[in-house]
Amino acid sequence: MANKLEALSHQAFRIPLEQKQEVAVAKYRTLFGYKASGIVAQHDPYKRRDRGEFWNLSKDDILGQHENPVPYPPMFQDVRPMLVDYIQKAHRIGMLILEILAPRLGIKPEEMTSRHKIQCESGDHIRLIFGPGDPEAANTELTRSEAETKINTFAHTDFGSVTLLFNWMGGLQIENRETKAWEWVRPIPGCGILNLGDAMVEFSGGRVASGKHRVVAAPGEQAAYNRYSVVYFVRPENDVVLESLTPEAIPKPESERWTAGEWIDMRLRQFGHTINTAN
């Protein structure tokens, strides 16, 4: 089914820019809708502009659970049954991962799954990603400096609990936690990539890590071609407090307690976005 969403992406990113901007995340001050390229991350020392475009399709909008859904283009409305099916299946995979991990962390599985109910409002969403091909970047991965590296998606850790990613070309890199070097993640046909995010670091009391990753021009001749990815983010419900669920957990001071919705807001501000998670 990820292949069908990848095919949908080819059409979605060809929508005229002025129509995409009508549902821009900045316009609605929400996480969901269309994100254009050209954002500068506050933490990037080279002040590069990103080259990636996103369509963020809210789980709650697609399932009809939000009072004020983003008015996505008709293209997405026409395939709503497919999007609903994908959301339900991807969410079930996320729950399976949480149920497997929880006992290994000394946590009851229901303590995890009860904080990620599909019928409750959360930051869960499908993300379709487009990165433009760049013939000039082909076969330069061994010679280009960091300052010369073109960024599709800036270095970050995922905000939520579990991320399910499908991509068909190179370009994804993960930071080696010891050397801080960027290492390529080779896509494997027919397989997805699972990431754990910041919420899992909190729920596990720091026993698991959220890997820092980014997307740059692909290695070799792939760099000349457009790159598409399909992502599903499983995130805690917006009002869930991010704190350790382990038996030995010590409650956080009130000043250090924040909800999943508040955490998304704080993290997005680091990327130059201003949102309102209450909408």
Side-chain angles (χ1 to χ4, degrees), residues 205-267:
R207 293 183 181 180
V208 301
S210 180
K212 184 183 291 187
H213 54 284
R214 68 179 187 178
V215 180
V216 300
E221 297 180 358
Q222 297 178 84
Y225 298 94
N226 293 338
R227 184 182 190 277
Y228 297 88
S229 301
V230 175
V231 189
Y232 188 79
F233 296 99
V234 177
R235 292 176 171 172
E237 299 155 34
N238 284 346
D239 59 358
V240 166
V241 174
L242 299 182
E243 58 187 351
S244 176
L245 303 178
T246 59
E248 66 276 12
I250 299 174
K252 286 184 175 182
E254 194 63 33
S255 61
E256 297 178 14
R257 289 169 59 86
W258 49 75
T259 65
E262 291 168 339
W263 179 244
I264 291 172
D265 194 356
M266 288 187 288
R267 287 295 310 276

Side-chain angles (χ1 to χ4, degrees), residues 187-216:
I188 300 175
C191 296
I193 296 172
L194 283 171
N195 289 337
L196 299 181
D198 300 335
M200 279 299 295
V201 178
E202 295 288 339
F203 292 150
S204 70
R207 293 183 181 180
V208 301
S210 180
K212 184 183 291 187
H213 54 284
R214 68 179 187 178
V215 180
V216 300

Side-chain angles (χ1 to χ4, degrees), residues 3 26 35 42 54 61 63 92 107 112 114 129 137 159 177 192 197 200-201 203 217 219 223 235 247 254 256 258 276:
N3 289 326
K35 185 205 79 74
Q42 295 178 11
F54 298 166
D61 287 353
L63 298 186
R92 284 200 294 269
I107 302 169
M112 287 283 200
S114 66
I129 304 177
F159 305 167
R177 300 189 71 192
M200 279 299 295
V201 178
F203 292 150
R235 292 176 171 172
E254 194 63 33
E256 297 178 14
W258 49 75
N276 182 356

Side-chain angles (χ1 to χ4, degrees), residues 26-241:
K27 178 178 180 179
Y28 284 89
R29 294 191 66 228
T30 174
L31 173 64
F32 309 116
Y34 170 73
K35 185 205 79 74
S37 60
I39 296 294
V40 178
Q42 295 178 11
H43 63 268
D44 182 34
Y46 303 104
K47 302 303 177 186
R48 294 166 290 190
R49 294 187 178 274
D50 73 359
R51 304 171 70 243
E53 299 178 46
F54 298 166
W55 277 109
N56 290 338
L57 309 177
S58 163
K59 176 259 293 181
D60 296 313
D61 287 353
I62 300 301
L63 298 186
Q65 298 176 172
H66 202 286
E67 293 182 359
N68 299 298
V70 173
Y72 303 105
M75 173 184 299
F76 295 116
Q77 307 296 341
D78 293 343
V79 296
R80 182 175 175 273
M82 179 180 72
L83 298 176
V84 169
D85 190 31
Y86 189 81
I87 286 170
Q88 291 173 339
K89 289 177 178 176
H91 190 270
R92 284 200 294 269
I93 291 173
M95 295 305 95
L96 177 61
I97 298 301
L98 295 180
E99 290 170 356
I100 291 171
L101 286 177
R104 291 164 171 78
L105 298 169
I107 302 169
K108 295 179 180 179
E110 58 268 25
E111 288 290 321
M112 287 283 200
T113 57
S114 66
R115 287 168 167 78
H116 299 81
K117 296 186 293 292
I118 195 170
Q119 69 270 25
C120 294
E121 190 170 339
S122 71
D124 283 36
H125 64 283
I126 296 171
R127 175 174 293 172
L128 308 179
I129 304 177
F130 167 72
D134 183 3
E136 293 183 358
N139 299 305
T140 65
E141 64 273 7
L142 297 180
T143 59
R144 63 191 180 218
S145 66
E146 176 61 28
E148 294 170 330
T149 298
K150 296 179 180 180
I151 300 293
N152 284 358
T153 304
F154 284 106
H156 65 284
T157 56
D158 289 341
F159 305 167
S161 299
V162 178
T163 303
L164 177 61
L165 164 67
F166 291 95
N167 55 245
W168 293 264
M169 288 175 52
L172 176 64
Q173 294 184 321
I174 188 167
E175 184 184 65
N176 185 304
R177 300 189 71 192
E178 295 182 359
T179 67
K180 303 303 180 182
W182 289 105
E183 299 177 353
W184 297 103
V185 179
R186 183 188 296 272
I188 300 175
C191 296
I193 296 172
L194 283 171
N195 289 337
L196 299 181
D198 300 335
M200 279 299 295
V201 178
E202 295 288 339
F203 292 150
S204 70
R207 293 183 181 180
V208 301
S210 180
K212 184 183 291 187
H213 54 284
R214 68 179 187 178
V215 180
V216 300
E221 297 180 358
Q222 297 178 84
Y225 298 94
N226 293 338
R227 184 182 190 277
Y228 297 88
S229 301
V230 175
V231 189
Y232 188 79
F233 296 99
V234 177
R235 292 176 171 172
E237 299 155 34
N238 284 346
D239 59 358
V240 166
V241 174

